[in-house]
């Protein structure tokens, strides 16, 4: 039973003939024929709108040619040493220091000069030569003394300055009385703190400061705490005596 309709058979026959002709001519005369479109169908179908491509975010790559320079940390520059204070204050001579000045390389030797630096910071040596000693190191004082004698008195001279051990004393009604090494700036209140402070029997209104030259000064601890100007400086060989309070 033949199930293929006659119209289909005719269509297939014609298609076979077309293909055979194309194969014989080498497809040289083959042309594209626009298929016929039903006008009703074309009017009903909307024109296809080309799809708009969705923008894709792309990370911007910085231009290396215009990239700002990277800041490089510069190491800190240490502060310059002040010419007015080139050394630590603990090595400077102060009022109350005992100094011994030795003179050498002379035709006739001079005896050593021993003196405690006065309150004005000066010492007076042979030939009535006075030199500022406080605020200088022993080496600086040696050079200054030499300049006073050479060439005014001698053509050549070597000066040596030595100091005694620098100490101060705290006694009386304090917790650890005794001699303390002088290392630098010191005041009455700080000196008392270095020996543990007052005992329960201390008279804080009557703290006696005895200078190395014999001068005596009374310091009221309560007032000195409120006003730092009343907290007097302590020099080498000074004594601080804390008296006992009366009941």
């Amino acid at each position: 039973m033949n199930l293929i309709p006659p119209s289909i058979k005719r269509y297939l026959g014609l298609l076979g003939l077309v293909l055979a002709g194309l194969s014989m001519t080498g497809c040289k005369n083959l042309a594209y024929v626009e298929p016929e479109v039903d006008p009703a169908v074309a009017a009903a179908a909307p024109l296809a709108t080309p799809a708009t491509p969705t923008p894709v975010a792309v990370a911007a790559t910085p231009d290396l040619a215009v990239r700002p320079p990277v800041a490089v940390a510069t190491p800190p520059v240490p502060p310059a040493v002040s010419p007015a204070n080139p050394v630590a204050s603990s090595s400077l001579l102060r009022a109350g220091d005992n100094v011994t000045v030795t003179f050498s390389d002379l035709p006739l030797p001079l005896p050593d000069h021993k003196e405690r630096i006065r309150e004005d910071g000066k010492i007076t040596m042979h030939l009535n030569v006075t030199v500022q000693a406080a605020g200088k190191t022993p080496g600086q004082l040696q050079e200054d003394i030499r300049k006073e004698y050479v060439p005014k008195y001698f053509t050549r001279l070597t000066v040596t300055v030595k100091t005694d051990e620098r100490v101060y004393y705290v006694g009386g009604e304090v917790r650890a009385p005794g001699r303390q090494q002088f290392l630098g700036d010191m005041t009455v209140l700080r000196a008392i703190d270095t020996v543990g402070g007052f005992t329960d029997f201390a008279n804080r209104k009557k703290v006696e400061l005895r200078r190395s030259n014999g001068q005596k000064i009374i310091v009221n601890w309560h007032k000195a705490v409120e006003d730092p100007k009343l907290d007097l400086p302590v020099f080498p060989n000074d004594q601080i005596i804390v008296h006992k309070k009366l009941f």
Side-chain angles (χ1 to χ4, degrees):
M1 183 177 182
N2 192 355
L3 300 179
I4 301 175
S7 60
I8 299 301
K9 288 183 177 181
R10 288 194 300 271
Y11 177 78
L12 293 175
L14 292 174
L15 181 61
L17 292 174
V18 171
L19 294 175
L22 292 174
S23 61
M24 294 177 64
T25 59
C27 300
K28 292 182 180 180
N29 298 322
L30 181 63
Y32 174 76
V33 178
E34 184 73 18
E36 294 183 0
V37 180
D38 189 349
V41 176
L47 295 177
T49 303
T52 303
T54 303
V56 179
V58 179
T61 302
D63 188 356
L64 296 180
V66 297
R67 180 177 296 178
V70 179
V72 180
T74 303
V77 179
V81 179
S82 172
N85 187 21
V87 295
S89 60
S90 60
S91 64
L92 301 178
L93 297 172
R94 298 174 179 270
D97 279 344
N98 285 317
V99 295
T100 301
V101 183
T102 302
F103 303 91
S104 57
D105 292 337
L106 291 172
L108 296 175
L110 289 176
D112 294 347
H113 176 80
K114 297 182 180 181
E115 184 180 351
R116 188 185 305 275
I117 299 177
R118 302 192 298 267
E119 289 295 323
D120 61 1
K122 299 179 179 180
I123 58 174
T124 301
M125 300 163 292
H126 308 298
L127 303 174
N128 201 31
V129 172
T130 300
V131 177
Q132 176 70 31
K136 300 176 181 178
T137 64
Q140 291 171 340
L141 180 57
Q142 291 174 176
E143 183 63 22
D144 289 348
I145 293 174
R146 182 181 180 280
K147 291 179 180 179
E148 292 294 329
Y149 285 100
V150 177
K152 184 177 181 179
Y153 297 104
F154 307 106
T155 57
R156 188 174 66 177
L157 174 66
T158 299
V159 179
T160 304
V161 175
K162 295 181 180 180
T163 61
D164 294 344
E165 184 182 8
R166 307 171 77 186
V167 296
Y168 62 92
Y169 305 85
V170 183
E173 295 300 323
V174 291
R175 299 190 180 278
R179 185 178 68 172
Q180 304 295 320
Q181 187 176 4
F182 186 87
L183 299 176
D185 294 334
M186 183 59 60
T187 65
V188 172
L189 269 58
R190 279 184 284 180
I192 294 174
D193 290 339
T194 60
V195 294
F198 296 106
T199 66
D200 296 336
F201 306 101
N203 184 353
R204 302 191 181 195
K205 296 181 180 180
K206 192 176 181 181
V207 178
E208 184 177 349
L209 173 62
R210 298 178 181 177
R211 297 293 190 194
S212 56
N213 61 359
Q215 181 185 11
K216 296 181 181 181
I217 307 172
I218 299 299
V219 177
N220 186 320
W221 182 87
H222 298 283
K223 293 182 178 180
V225 169
E226 297 178 357
D227 186 359
K229 295 180 181 179
L230 301 177
D231 186 15
L232 300 180
V234 176
F235 301 119
N237 301 309
D238 282 353
Q239 296 184 28
I240 300 170
I241 306 299
V242 180
H243 295 282
K244 190 174 184 178
K245 62 183 177 181
L246 302 176
F247 296 96

